[in-house]
Amino acid sequence: MHSVGLLVYPGFQSLALAVATAFEYANLMHGSAAYDFAVVSEPGGAVASSQGFAVQTEAWGERTFDTLIVAGDNECRLPPRSLIERVRASAARSRRMASICTGAFVLAEAGLLDGRKATTHWLHARAFRERYPRVQMEEDRIFVIDGPVWTSAGMSAGLDLALAVIEKDLGRKLALTIARKLVIYQRRGGGQSQFSTLLELDARSDRVQTALAYARENLASDLSVEVLANAAHLSPRQFSRVFREETGQPPAKAIERLRVEAARLMMETSRHPIEVIARETGFGDRERMRQAFLRAFGQPPQAIQRISANAELV
């Protein structure tokens, strides 16, 4: 049985508790008690969350966990120094150390991320980088695995991290089954961006939103201005003007970003050759996709694919 501890301290973000459900369903669907999960704090007893309600916790005591997950808070406030020291000491006894969101600040303060890659919520990435220059911050990642240390981005990414832990321990099939049970479309790969192109475009009018939704559902098809304008029930000239006014960019650039996002996701969740991914996401050929990846990530598709493959092997 794997023991998992979720470490909280006063002011912790309550969404971190969601990881408990992933391990609960792992036990239910595995057919045996695969995980012994506990919410712990340094003193034990009731610990207040960021929302004000308190959660009953076990005293950490001398207990050792196979996987210790440090919850974050909303303000990047560090817990007492005594807790930081205990986190540092526990790394020698735990198989995995992990963090959710700003919990990465706790791991970094304990010196566990020095010389390693890590991520945290994008909003706090700059502050993290300035405070811990010895850590390689990868702010555009859902979660990062570097040896025995796992870090995840914003709070919902804690579920992705928990599912990745379950996949590593008990297999991909069970992790995907749990994701479906939790009504998660699919387990996001660690290399997936924290950002969604559709959210960033922030189209205001129904017509532009309709065109973007059409594009997302038909990436492999012709998505010329004429086609998108027809979906929006506007003339091509009107559509181009309204689209640029609302999103700050021309339609062609937005479509490229949607295709890059979809192609990267395919790399993380399948083993399709690059030629197939290029065709399925509307690039047509690998060279056009390569140029788009260089513009978006500064790396070719092969480099992104290698990162995803290495993450699966960890």
Side-chain angles (χ1 to χ4, degrees):
M1 181 186 295
H2 302 268
S3 59
V4 178
L6 174 65
L7 177 62
V8 300
Y9 49 90
F12 77 93
Q13 222 294 329
S14 55
L15 190 55
L17 297 170
V19 301
T21 302
F23 294 108
E24 175 188 5
Y25 281 131
N27 286 343
L28 292 173
M29 296 178 178
H30 187 252
S32 63
Y35 290 102
D36 175 21
F37 182 88
V39 181
V40 298
S41 64
E42 190 172 25
V47 176
S49 71
S50 57
Q51 291 180 270
F53 67 80
V55 173
Q56 194 67 26
T57 67
E58 296 182 19
W60 192 356
E62 299 301 318
R63 187 169 180 184
T64 298
F65 294 97
D66 295 317
T67 301
L68 181 68
I69 305 173
V70 181
D73 72 351
N74 291 329
E75 306 297 334
C76 301
R77 291 172 297 193
L78 292 172
R81 193 69 208 176
S82 60
L83 185 59
I84 299 290
E85 295 300 332
R86 293 199 60 181
V87 168
R88 177 186 292 117
S90 69
R93 303 189 300 270
S94 296
R95 184 157 58 95
R96 273 185 297 244
M97 299 293 291
S99 65
I100 300 174
C101 195
T102 58
F105 282 75
V106 178
L107 296 185
E109 190 70 19
L112 302 181
L113 297 180
D114 287 353
R116 295 187 184 277
K117 298 177 181 178
T119 193
T120 190
H121 194 292
W122 62 268
L123 186 64
H124 303 292
R126 174 181 287 184
F128 185 100
R129 189 178 289 110
E130 292 174 352
R131 190 181 300 183
Y132 306 109
R134 297 183 63 186
V135 183
Q136 184 177 332
M137 171 51 53
E138 299 193 353
E139 61 192 82
D140 192 30
R141 299 281 297 276
I142 293 296
F143 61 86
V144 170
I145 304 171
D146 191 332
V149 185
W150 302 39
T151 53
S152 66
M155 287 297 174
S156 65
L159 270 177
D160 298 290
L161 182 144
L163 289 168
V165 167
I166 293 167
E167 179 176 329
K168 178 65 176 176
D169 293 341
L170 304 175
R172 181 174 178 80
K173 183 177 180 181
L174 180 62
L176 291 175
T177 301
I178 295 169
R180 287 193 292 269
K181 179 69 174 177
L182 296 175
V183 200
I184 298 174
Y185 175 63
Q186 59 188 350
R187 182 184 77 70
R188 296 180 292 180
Q192 187 172 337
S193 173
Q194 294 188 34
F195 308 99
S196 167
T197 297
L198 284 180
L199 289 176
E200 288 186 58
L201 291 173
D202 192 29
R204 297 185 297 276
S205 69
D206 290 343
R207 290 187 174 185
V208 174
Q209 289 179 7
T210 297
L212 286 171
Y214 175 86
R216 189 66 179 266
E217 294 169 5
N218 297 276
L219 286 178
S221 304
D222 172 27
L223 293 177
S224 63
V225 169
E226 290 74 18
V227 170
L228 294 173
N230 184 62
H233 303 291
L234 292 170
S235 71
R237 184 175 180 180
Q238 285 179 307
F239 177 76
S240 294
R241 176 178 57 78
V242 172
F243 192 96
R244 186 184 285 271
E245 287 176 354
E246 292 193 14
T247 68
Q249 59 189 268
K253 183 176 180 180
I255 297 306
E256 179 177 285
R257 291 177 63 195
L258 286 172
R259 283 175 166 151
V260 164
E261 186 176 84
R264 184 171 176 175
L265 179 59
M266 282 188 71
M267 289 178 184
E268 294 166 355
T269 57
S270 74
R271 297 182 181 275
H272 293 310
I274 287 178
E275 290 81 359
V276 172
I277 294 174
R279 185 172 64 249
E280 292 294 318
T281 53
F283 285 108
D285 61 69
R286 60 186 297 160
E287 180 55 28
R288 285 183 61 195
M289 188 169 81
R290 177 179 175 275
Q291 293 299 325
F293 266 66
L294 289 173
R295 285 190 288 271
F297 307 122
Q299 300 181 84
Q302 293 89 340
I304 304 294
Q305 200 169 45
R306 281 195 297 271
I307 291 171
S308 299
N310 290 338
E312 289 184 2
L313 294 174
V314 174

